């Protein structure tokens, strides 16, 4: 080892294991983490690019702490990962580190045999790698064992921390860790180590980990930031209808091949664009190992279908497979094994392969349409370029439908391409979205209240309030709102008072927590299982009325429904030569105002980014011409085709708040475009009415929950999994906390007023 000090602080068995693994040095980043672990009592936030050795930086010192007694006495180190597949990968790495020290390593998730879990409960030792959902189940079902199982817990290692910072799962996990500390009963708090490559607000991450930023030490590695990226645009003309250009003799026999059932011209062009993207992918990605991300499962399946037919037509091996959350575990694992095999292989995937699952060396990454965040873009391009001497590489594909002056103004700006350029520019500047702190996630609060009640067999309302309202997840929630939620749960028979006054589960609550689906904080999609003979292919959404003879794409193959069991939600299928498209529900994330502001700057600039192809430059010229015509460099109010457009360039949450406030004043405002960077109002609405509403928003900055309830009333939608148990006013609190930024909305209103004066 060329850095002996940190190495010598490791346990001798861990040192010998590193020698066995032919380690010749420790990265400076790992040295800093090891020294920080032994020199301080603080939590650690380890930030480094993908494949920088974050896992070892966290585990080497933690394992060295527990190695002298072989990790006996309780679970000593707990690793929490967001995915079962990631846990399986890390299990192998951690087990290798623990061999010489004879420290037991245990996996704990839904695919692990029940006997193995019982053995850990009976004799808790060493390291446990677990998901938040399995940890939830463990605490609920083994509540009286928690103190014994974690009495000597030294460290909690949280991988892919950025995934948890802004999600219901993160708030759930934050609560679960507080519950473990409380169950230990010694007043001590377990040290936490967070790992991530992409965090936009370090202070927020430090507070999430340690309760306050001062309690968490940041350790980061240097990153050259070098990347190779090209935005590639495919332009389609509205008069060119899509035909089944990839028809083969196989589909020409018998009935004519069916084209995709389309709803409008844009969908037709999307299909044509995917065909051109497939041709480019086949040329650029064949013979290597790659990942191609799509925002929509529909795009994944269509792209895979095109690639399969192109490979057949050109008589070349089909190296392209599909990986997304609606496929069976067996199908996903087969794709992961193909990626690890070293043979040329490209997976068309959703966010399921965005995180740190080991899929071997990735040569390049593709991306169809820009993601909603810079964080996702950075995480995905970082899956490539992990070998020494290589850099991350990405082709970012932007399908574009050429529009004319008769189309809506926002579409004339080609916002998808402009957003893609903005995200790349921000990524190269080193900017990433800060997490949005949701202060009132009442759905996850309900889950934690019921879970703690089940874990303890009953509890006092004051104990619940003290435990939960002191966690980062629910800090700032008022006692009044907390009490209102408990009242709702009692009214719904989810909770009831025992004779001694303690809260216990009601009959409905007992039924709810007894179902395995309760452990997850997120909503599972309602789907039918798709079965081909004895093989489970995957699942399809319950969004249409399926019937025998219906055809669809799944796992990159064409299927026809033979039989449907609606009661068991099982669809029996056979292979088909024809296809139809299933439109999966699209997960739409919020977009930060910095992206929209950068889009505006790009539109009014004359600088041509060096990372866009010729077609992208042409489309950018079109969009800038429209921006100049409507003077978007200094105008925010634009009249076009009977609509008054308010170009706020605010984040989607700020624009959503402004839209609801205008509607509360009787002004029907609508968010414009996929990027939601502008609002539109019918031109017949007097400007004085709009000005009056904007001025009122600036002056009052109303309570967002009250605004949501005023506009949406009893129809306010549930935001989280358990929000349907709440009254409409409480649902409005969850909705507003997740979707509205009233402070930004008021600032937008002030800017709009200033721009009109």
């Amino acid at each position: 080892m060329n850095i002996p000090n940190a190495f010598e602080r490791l346990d001798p068995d861990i040192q010998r294991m590193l020698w066995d693994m032919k380690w010749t040095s420790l990265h400076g980043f790992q040295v800093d983490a090891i020294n920080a672990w032994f020199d301080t009592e603080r939590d650690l936030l380890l930030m480094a690019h993908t494949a920088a050795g974050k896992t070892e930086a966290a585990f080497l010192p933690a394992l060295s702490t527990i190695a002298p007694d072989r990790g006996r006495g309780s679970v000593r180190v707990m690793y929490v990962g967001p995915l079962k597949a990631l846990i399986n990968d890390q299990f192998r790495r951690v087990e290798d580190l623990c061999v010489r020290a004879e420290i037991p390593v245990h996996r704990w998730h839904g695919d692990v045999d029940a006997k193995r879990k019982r053995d850990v409960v009976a004799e808790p030792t060493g390291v446990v790698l677990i998901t938040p959902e399995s940890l939830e189940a463990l605490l609920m079902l083994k509540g009286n064992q928690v103190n014994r199982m974690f009495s000597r817990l030294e460290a909690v290692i949280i991988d892919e921390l950025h995934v948890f910072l802004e999600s219901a799962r993160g708030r759930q996990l934050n609560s679960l860790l507080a519950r473990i500390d409380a169950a230990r009963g010694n007043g001590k708090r377990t040290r936490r180590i967070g790992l991530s490559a992409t965090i936009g607000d370090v202070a927020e991450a430090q507070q999430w980990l340690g309760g306050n930023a001062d309690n968490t030490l940041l350790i980061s590695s240097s990153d050259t930031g070098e990347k190779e990226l090209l935005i590639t645009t495919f332009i389609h003309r509205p008069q060119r209808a899509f035909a089944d250009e990839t028809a083969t003799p196989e589909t020409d026999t018998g009935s004519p091949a069916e084209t995709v059932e389309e709803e409008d011209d844009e969908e037709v062009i999307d299909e044509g664009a995917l065909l051109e993207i497939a041709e480019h992918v086949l040329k650029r990605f064949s013979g290597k190992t790659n990942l191609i991300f799509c925002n929509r499962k529909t795009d994944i399946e269509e792209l895979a279908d095109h690639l399969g037919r192109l490979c057949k037509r050109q008589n070349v091996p089909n190296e392209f497979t599909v990986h997304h959350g609606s496929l069976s575990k067996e199908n996903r694992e087969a794709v992961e094994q193909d990626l690890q095999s070293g043979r040329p292989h490209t997976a068309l995937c959703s966010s399921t392969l965005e995180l740190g699952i080991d899929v071997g060396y990735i040569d390049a990454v593709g991306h169809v349409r820009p993601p909603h965040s810079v964080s996702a873009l950075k995480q995905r391009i970082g899956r490539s370029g992990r070998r020494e001497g290589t850099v991350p590489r990405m082709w970012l594909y932007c399908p574009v439908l050429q529009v004319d002056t008769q189309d809506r103004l926002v579409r004339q700006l080609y916002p998808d391409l402009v957003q893609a350029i903005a995200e790349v520019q921000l990524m190269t500047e080193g900017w990433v979205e800060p997490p949005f702190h949701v202060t009132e996630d009442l759905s996850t609060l309900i889950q934690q209240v019921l879970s703690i009640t089940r874990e303890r067999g009953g509890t006092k309302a004051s104990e619940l309030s003290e435990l939960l309202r002191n966690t980062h997840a629910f800090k700032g929630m008022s006692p009044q709102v907390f009490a209102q939620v408990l009242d709702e749960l009692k009214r719904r028979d989810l909770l009831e008072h025992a004779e001694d006054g303690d809260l216990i589960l009601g009959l409905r609550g007992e039924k709810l927590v007894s179902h395995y689906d309760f452990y997850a904080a997120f909503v599972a999609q309602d789907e039918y299982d798709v079965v081909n003979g004895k093989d489970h292919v995957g699942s399809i959404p319950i969004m249409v009325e399926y019937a025998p003879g219906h055809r669809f794409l799944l796992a990159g193959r064409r299927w026809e429904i033979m039989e449907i069991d609606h009661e068991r939600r099982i669809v029996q299928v056979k292979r088909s030569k024809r296809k139809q498209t299933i439109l999966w529900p699209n997960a739409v994330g919020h977009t930060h105002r910095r992206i929209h502001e950068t889009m505006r700057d790009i539109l009014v600039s004359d600088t041509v980014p060096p990372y866009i192809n010729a077609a992208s430059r042409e489309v950018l010229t079109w969009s800038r011409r429209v921006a100049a015509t409507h003077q978007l460099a200094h105008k925010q109010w634009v009249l076009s085709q009977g609509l008054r457009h308010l170009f706020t360039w605010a984040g989607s949450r700020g624009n959503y708040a402004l839209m609801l406030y205008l509607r509360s004043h009787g002004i029907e405002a609508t968010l414009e475009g996929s990027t939601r960077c502008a609002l539109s109002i019918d031109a017949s609405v007097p400007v004085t009415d709009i000005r009056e509403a904007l001025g009122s928003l600036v002056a009052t900055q109303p309570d967002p929950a009250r605004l949501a309830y005023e506009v949406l009333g009893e129809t306010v939608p549930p935001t989280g999994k358990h929000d349907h148990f709440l009254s409409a006013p409480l649902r409005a609190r969850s909705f507003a906390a997740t979707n509205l930024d009233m402070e930004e909305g008021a600032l937008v209103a002030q800017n709009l007023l200033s721009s009109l004066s």
Side-chain angles (χ1 to χ4, degrees), residues 325-342:
S326 292
L327 300 184
S328 67
K329 180 184 72 169
E330 293 76 16
N331 273 324
R332 294 196 306 271
E333 289 179 346
V335 173
E336 292 160 19
Q337 290 167 9
D338 284 338
L339 288 167
Q340 294 167 2
S341 68

Side-chain angles (χ1 to χ4, degrees), residues 725-738:
F725 291 123
L726 299 170
S727 65
L730 285 175
R731 285 203 310 276
R733 299 195 77 90
S734 270
F735 178 86
T738 302

Side-chain angles (χ1 to χ4, degrees), residues 234 236 240-246 258-262 264-279 296 298-306 309 369 399 401 553 558 579-581 583:
F234 296 96
H236 289 265
R240 177 186 168 190
F242 169 75
D244 194 357
E245 298 176 15
T246 59
E258 295 178 12
T259 55
V260 180
E261 295 179 345
E262 308 293 351
D264 56 34
D265 287 342
E266 189 169 11
E267 291 297 326
V268 173
I269 299 307
D270 277 355
E271 175 72 1
L274 287 174
L275 177 57
E276 288 202 43
I277 290 172
E279 292 169 344
R296 311 186 304 190
T298 303
D299 285 350
I300 296 174
E301 295 291 350
E302 290 286 352
L303 188 58
D305 184 67
H306 288 318
R309 302 180 76 189
R369 311 176 205 277
L401 169 65
L553 296 171
R558 298 179 173 197
K579 71 170 183 177
Q580 292 169 298
T581 294
L583 298 177

Side-chain angles (χ1 to χ4, degrees), residues 370-622:
H372 74 275
S373 70
V374 175
S375 175
L377 183 66
K378 182 178 179 181
Q379 189 74 21
R380 293 172 184 182
I381 191 175
R383 297 294 273 154
S384 64
R386 298 188 180 187
R387 282 185 183 158
E388 189 173 350
T390 66
V391 296
R393 302 172 63 220
M394 176 184 277
W395 271 279
L396 178 49
Y397 296 111
C398 284
V400 162
L401 169 65
Q402 185 179 3
V403 298
D404 57 31
T405 56
Q406 300 307 307
D407 281 281
R408 293 177 80 96
L409 179 56
V410 172
R411 289 184 66 182
Q412 295 179 49
L413 296 172
Y414 301 98
D416 279 355
L417 173 61
V418 181
Q419 181 174 346
I421 296 171
E423 289 178 357
V424 173
Q425 179 175 315
L426 289 168
M427 180 178 69
T428 59
E429 293 172 0
W431 182 85
V432 176
E433 293 86 357
F436 183 79
H437 183 49
V438 176
T439 56
E440 291 188 332
D441 179 357
L442 302 187
S443 173
T444 305
L445 177 67
I446 290 171
Q447 184 207 41
Q448 291 303 291
V449 165
L450 297 179
S451 178
I452 295 170
T453 306
R454 170 66 173 81
E455 172 193 340
R456 300 182 177 184
T459 186
K460 298 184 184 301
S462 58
E463 293 174 352
L464 285 171
S465 178
E466 181 179 1
L467 174 59
L468 292 173
R469 291 181 53 246
N470 284 329
T471 65
H472 182 70
F474 306 110
K475 187 170 289 184
M477 182 176 294
S478 71
Q480 293 78 16
V481 171
F482 190 87
Q484 290 173 26
V485 172
L486 293 186
D487 287 342
E488 279 293 303
L489 298 184
K490 287 182 284 186
R491 187 172 70 85
R492 303 273 186 173
D493 196 26
L494 296 169
L495 291 177
E496 63 179 62
H497 280 293
E499 292 182 0
D500 61 0
D502 282 1
L503 288 172
I504 60 174
L505 293 176
L507 291 177
R508 192 176 183 185
E510 292 276 8
K511 184 176 180 180
L512 180 66
V513 303
S514 65
H515 196 277
Y516 71 89
D517 180 58
F518 176 78
Y519 306 137
F522 55 88
V523 181
Q525 190 169 297
D526 213 4
E527 296 183 319
Y528 281 91
D529 283 324
V530 177
V531 178
N532 177 33
K534 294 182 179 180
D535 295 332
H536 180 209
V537 181
S539 54
I540 53 178
I542 303 177
M543 297 179 65
V544 299
E545 289 291 332
Y546 299 110
H550 189 101
R551 300 173 183 87
F552 57 87
L553 296 171
L554 185 64
R557 298 189 290 273
R558 298 179 173 197
W559 305 98
E560 180 179 341
I561 295 178
M562 300 170 58
E563 182 181 340
I564 303 176
D565 185 335
H566 290 287
E567 185 174 341
R568 297 168 59 204
R569 295 188 175 182
I570 294 177
V571 175
Q572 287 283 350
V573 297
K574 66 178 181 179
R575 294 295 296 272
S576 173
K577 294 180 180 179
R578 296 186 285 170
K579 71 170 183 177
Q580 292 169 298
T581 294
I582 287 180
L583 298 177
W584 270 274
N586 295 326
V588 179
H590 283 288
T591 303
H592 193 274
R593 63 178 173 81
R594 183 79 179 272
I595 295 176
H596 287 164
E597 290 170 349
T598 305
M599 289 172 62
R600 175 200 57 204
D601 295 343
I602 290 167
L603 284 169
V604 301
S605 169
D606 57 5
T607 301
V608 178
Y611 47 79
I612 66 176
N613 74 338
S616 301
R617 291 194 290 272
E618 182 179 7
V619 174
L620 182 59
T621 300
W622 298 344

Side-chain angles (χ1 to χ4, degrees), residues 721-750:
K721 182 176 180 179
H722 301 293
D723 281 344
H724 62 279
F725 291 123
L726 299 170
S727 65
L730 285 175
R731 285 203 310 276
R733 299 195 77 90
S734 270
F735 178 86
T738 302
N739 297 298
L740 305 184
D741 187 334
M742 196 55 66
E743 183 177 345
E744 185 175 281
L747 180 61
V748 169
Q750 180 64 63

Side-chain angles (χ1 to χ4, degrees), residues 85-106:
L86 183 56
I87 284 175
N88 293 339
D89 282 340
Q90 298 289 35
F91 175 78
R92 291 186 287 270
R93 296 173 68 179
V94 177
E95 196 173 41
D96 287 344
L97 291 173
C98 291
V99 168
R100 275 191 175 271
E102 299 179 17
I103 300 171
V105 184
H106 316 279

